[in-house]
Amino acid sequence: MTWIWHHWYVALRAEAAVLAGSPCAHDCLAEARTAVAGNPVAGAIVERAQALLDGDQEALLATAEAFDAAGCRYQSARTLVLAGGGHASRGAAALAALGLAPMAPVL
């Protein structure tokens, strides 16, 4: 069980580095990719972070599909919110269906 928590921690730490614009984001992603190998959900978080860093909308939306396939409705909805545009409103609606509100936009 501990390894699952470790995977999540490493993946979310890498994503946080990307979202914060940290200069070490590339290194965090490389470390995370190695650490979470074999864990499809943590791996999708790392791939989402990479897509955000690269500005790759297609890859970002592919991670939403990966979360859907794994039954992670929250992560899928969050990915759509992060994708922006029309995807963000779909993500916000999915979050509302889960009883949650989307995160506030960064100003």
Side-chain angles (χ1 to χ4, degrees), residues 19-95:
L19 292 172
S22 173
C24 72
H26 284 286
D27 293 336
C28 287
L29 284 168
E31 176 187 320
R33 192 168 279 108
T34 301
V36 305
N39 182 322
V41 175
I45 293 171
V46 172
E47 292 308 314
R48 176 175 64 199
Q50 185 71 58
L52 288 167
L53 185 63
D54 296 342
D56 187 339
Q57 187 80 346
E58 187 175 317
L60 184 60
L61 295 173
T63 64
E65 293 174 14
F67 288 125
D68 280 337
C72 298
R73 296 183 313 173
Y74 167 76
Q75 292 296 343
S76 176
R78 183 168 182 268
T79 302
L80 293 175
V81 170
L82 289 168
H87 303 292
S89 58
R90 285 187 17 239
L95 287 171

